[in-house]
Amino acid sequence: MPAPERIPPGRVTGTVTVLDLLTKGELTVRGQIREASNAVIYCSVAYEGQEAHCVYKPVAGERPLWDFPDGTLAQREVAAYEVSEATGWGLVPPTVLREGPYGQGMCQLWIDTQTEDAEADGDGDGEAETEEPGALLALVEGDEPGEGWKAVGLADVGEDRTALLVHADDERLRRLAVLDAVINNGDRKGGHLLPAPDGRLYAIDHGVTFNVEDKLRTLLWGWAGEPLTDEALAVLARLTDELAEGAPLATRLAALITPAETEAVRARVRELRHTGRHPEPSGQWPAIPWPPV
């Protein structure tokens, strides 16, 4: 019997789509990602001669949080994918809600990434040094981020020293900053950024999203207060239509988050369009997640 064909993000092979594979395929547990705070199972999934690797997060393995209803993180992960797809940016890997070996949970396509260091030390001249030219985060000496970088804030690097945490001035990250503002992401860490070998950027771990209260915590504050791009404003206008009562995105979100949370998404989109600017930290909530990477 020939080996199953691997299927990458967005690809359709014959009549099998990635979502078909994730939703209908047979899950086989291959291991567990133990660094995660909730249960994260590494699996393969096979369907009609196609195969891929995926991450399966069962609802039963979710750790209760004081500010989110129990057993809702998997649905929020799928909702984040739905909003990402509605933007047209494709920033979240294909994600579905399904039954698995440990009950219902979210199933998300595994993304192979570039090999790179997420952080690097500076050389004292304000320029970020990285071991890979495609690095998205860095630590630099001095007060200026250097060309091609945006400042986030000072970070304690030990021995009573601080360094400036910066992220790349990258249009992919800027789109992600807009998406995070829309879905109210409370946990955008550096380790959630997955640059793929084909040049695309994916983002993962969206369980702490869609709260009705302002929970935005992120490493992508470099554009805070700056005008949104024309592209972002056009996307927000499209989201307004997609979020209208009875519209496709609103209908899909209704099965995943509460009516109040969906209305809060609409309100955030309206506010972004009204101000025309990237949001700034509110001061009422820690602006940067911990640990940041």
Side-chain angles (χ1 to χ4, degrees):
M1 175 181 291
E5 182 181 354
R6 297 286 178 182
I7 184 166
R11 179 173 165 194
V12 178
T13 302
T15 59
V16 178
T17 68
V18 177
L19 294 182
D20 287 334
L21 179 63
L22 293 174
T23 304
K24 303 174 184 178
E26 180 180 358
L27 287 175
T28 301
V29 173
R30 302 296 184 185
Q32 182 175 1
I33 300 173
R34 299 193 178 277
E35 295 83 3
S37 56
N38 297 301
V40 181
I41 313 298
Y42 180 61
C43 298
S44 61
V45 59
Y47 179 69
E48 293 191 356
Q50 311 302 317
E51 185 180 56
H53 290 133
C54 62
V55 168
Y56 160 57
K57 297 183 181 180
V59 172
E62 294 179 3
R63 177 172 55 88
L65 300 173
W66 68 268
D67 52 348
F68 285 85
D70 292 350
T72 66
L73 304 190
Q75 291 95 319
R76 295 170 193 279
E77 296 250 26
V78 179
Y81 167 71
E82 294 288 357
V83 175
S84 170
E85 287 299 285
T87 67
W89 288 331
L91 292 166
V92 179
T95 311
V96 303
L97 197 66
R98 60 163 293 169
E99 289 294 322
Y102 305 107
Q104 189 180 63
M106 83 81 156
C107 184
Q108 184 175 81
L109 190 69
W110 179 269
I111 301 297
D112 291 321
T113 63
Q114 300 169 357
T115 301
E116 64 183 36
D117 278 353
E119 296 181 359
D121 291 327
D123 62 1
D125 61 2
E127 299 262 340
E129 284 193 351
T130 64
E131 294 185 12
E132 293 285 342
L136 299 174
L137 298 170
L139 291 170
V140 299
E141 302 290 343
D143 299 325
E144 296 298 326
E147 185 176 356
W149 297 88
K150 305 289 285 187
V152 179
L154 292 174
D156 184 353
V157 294
E159 299 180 356
D160 295 323
R161 294 176 57 242
T162 60
L164 187 65
L165 177 63
V166 299
H167 64 68
D169 188 2
D170 185 305
E171 67 175 8
R172 302 170 301 173
L173 290 181
R174 192 164 191 174
R175 291 168 177 167
L176 184 59
V178 175
L179 175 65
D180 282 342
V182 169
I183 66 176
N184 197 16
N185 192 350
D187 195 33
R188 173 61 68 216
K189 297 176 180 176
H192 300 166
L193 308 176
L194 305 181
D198 63 3
R200 292 189 60 175
L201 176 70
Y202 294 94
I204 59 170
D205 285 350
H206 295 101
V208 189
T209 50
F210 295 102
N211 202 300
V212 296
E213 299 179 3
D214 179 14
K215 299 283 187 179
L216 186 59
R217 293 194 303 174
T218 177
L219 288 180
L220 304 181
W221 287 115
W223 297 282
E226 293 187 14
L228 295 166
T229 64
D230 290 342
E231 178 195 46
L233 290 171
V235 165
L236 292 169
R238 186 163 67 247
L239 282 180
T240 299
D241 294 336
E242 287 277 328
L243 287 164
E245 291 286 349
L249 178 59
T251 300
R252 292 193 292 272
L253 291 182
L256 299 165
I257 59 177
T258 69
E261 289 167 341
T262 300
E263 183 54 41
V265 178
R266 296 187 183 106
R268 289 190 292 271
V269 171
R270 286 195 300 269
E271 179 67 13
L272 287 167
R273 295 184 69 191
H274 173 71
T275 65
R277 294 181 178 276
H278 287 269
E280 299 181 80
S282 67
Q284 300 176 345
W285 182 256
I288 296 175
W290 184 262
V293 177

